[in-house]
Amino acid sequence: MKNLKNFILCILCLATASFSLTSCLGDDDDDDTPSILTPAERAQQMNAMQGIYNGYVYYNDYTAANGVDSLATSWNVTAPDSTLNCPAFPVKCFANCLSETDSDAKAILLAAQPQRFNAEIRLFPYKNEQEGYYPFYLFPKEEKMSYTVELEEVSHTVVVTYTASSATVNGYGQTSFIYCTGGYYKSGLNAYVIVGNINIDYKDYNCSNLSNGANIFLLGGQK
């Protein structure tokens, strides 16, 4: 369990660093102008990231002993089209977005079978000072994921809509924003997937204002 906690902290810090980089780029500092990636450098980074990864989807769960839960999955990155393809994303983790008072809706989400998730990797345009660390944006190929869930011989329609960012509030009451960013380092890749809305049988559940980060999911794994 200690190793799991340490790994989660590492990938969370890595993903946070990818956003911090964009914040730094916004500072007016003529003496520290970032260098633009050349086409050859972009190709080199994507080629390094290409491969099959085994890992987990991590998400906040304050009922768990360490406040984090996870579900196993795998995905592959292909360099020519800059695509991340997860053939069996464990969508039942999206039940974490709903409150306990939505027990019937949560039961439907928990009964869902894994679904295909495809996303485009867009490398940050600037060189990063940390050697071998490649930050990027992750954009789902489709804005929405639609699927059917069979529960107690009844079919339910689920539509999950992604969003580009979400605010979270830590234990000190400080607000921070998480964006759909990610990072690659030493054969490890992590990236955020953020849910904005879930529609179940034509009823909407807004997830974009969950300050506890329950709608933020993190892919984290190794080649």
Side-chain angles (χ1 to χ4, degrees), residues 8 19 30 52 56 59 73 80 82 93 96 108 126 136 150 153 200 213:
I8 292 170
F19 168 61
D30 295 335
I52 298 174
Y56 298 85
Y59 54 97
T73 190
S82 302
C93 65
N96 192 59
I108 293 171
Y126 302 99
F136 57 85
E150 301 291 333
E153 299 183 352
I200 304 174

Side-chain angles (χ1 to χ4, degrees), residues 57-185:
V57 176
Y58 296 95
Y59 54 97
N60 290 335
D61 182 359
Y62 297 106
T63 65
N66 60 355
V68 177
D69 207 343
S70 62
L71 292 169
T73 190
S74 62
W75 61 92
N76 68 287
V77 173
T78 52
D81 57 359
S82 302
T83 295
L84 183 152
N85 173 39
C86 181
F89 191 99
V91 294
K92 68 179 183 179
C93 65
F94 293 155
N96 192 59
C97 298
L98 275 57
S99 68
E100 295 301 324
T101 58
D102 299 315
S103 56
D104 291 342
K106 284 179 74 74
I108 293 171
L109 295 179
L110 286 170
Q113 296 299 310
Q115 302 293 319
R116 180 175 295 277
F117 172 77
N118 293 314
E120 178 187 356
I121 293 175
R122 298 183 191 175
L123 296 171
F124 278 26
Y126 302 99
K127 295 181 182 179
N128 185 47
E129 293 182 358
Q130 183 175 350
E131 184 177 354
Y133 169 51
Y134 307 142
F136 57 85
Y137 298 101
L138 187 74
F139 294 97
K141 292 274 191 176
E142 296 82 26
E143 180 185 358
K144 300 179 180 181
M145 176 191 288
S146 302
Y147 51 93
T148 301
V149 178
E150 301 291 333
L151 180 62
E152 297 178 353
E153 299 183 352
V154 177
S155 295
H156 302 274
T157 300
V158 177
V159 181
V160 176
T161 303
Y162 305 108
T163 186
S165 64
S166 185
T168 63
V169 179
N170 63 24
Y172 301 98
Q174 299 169 321
T175 301
S176 61
F177 286 88
I178 301 298
Y179 294 80
C180 287
T181 55
Y184 173 86
Y185 185 63

Side-chain angles (χ1 to χ4, degrees), residues 22-71:
T22 60
S23 299
C24 293
L25 294 178
D27 296 338
D28 293 330
D29 188 349
D30 295 335
D31 296 329
D32 191 23
T33 303
S35 300
I36 303 293
L37 285 178
T38 66
E41 288 169 333
R42 296 177 65 84
Q44 182 268 326
Q45 290 191 13
M46 283 307 310
N47 287 333
M49 294 167 60
Q50 182 168 261
I52 298 174
Y53 296 79
N54 293 302
Y56 298 85
V57 176
Y58 296 95
Y59 54 97
N60 290 335
D61 182 359
Y62 297 106
T63 65
N66 60 355
V68 177
D69 207 343
S70 62
L71 292 169

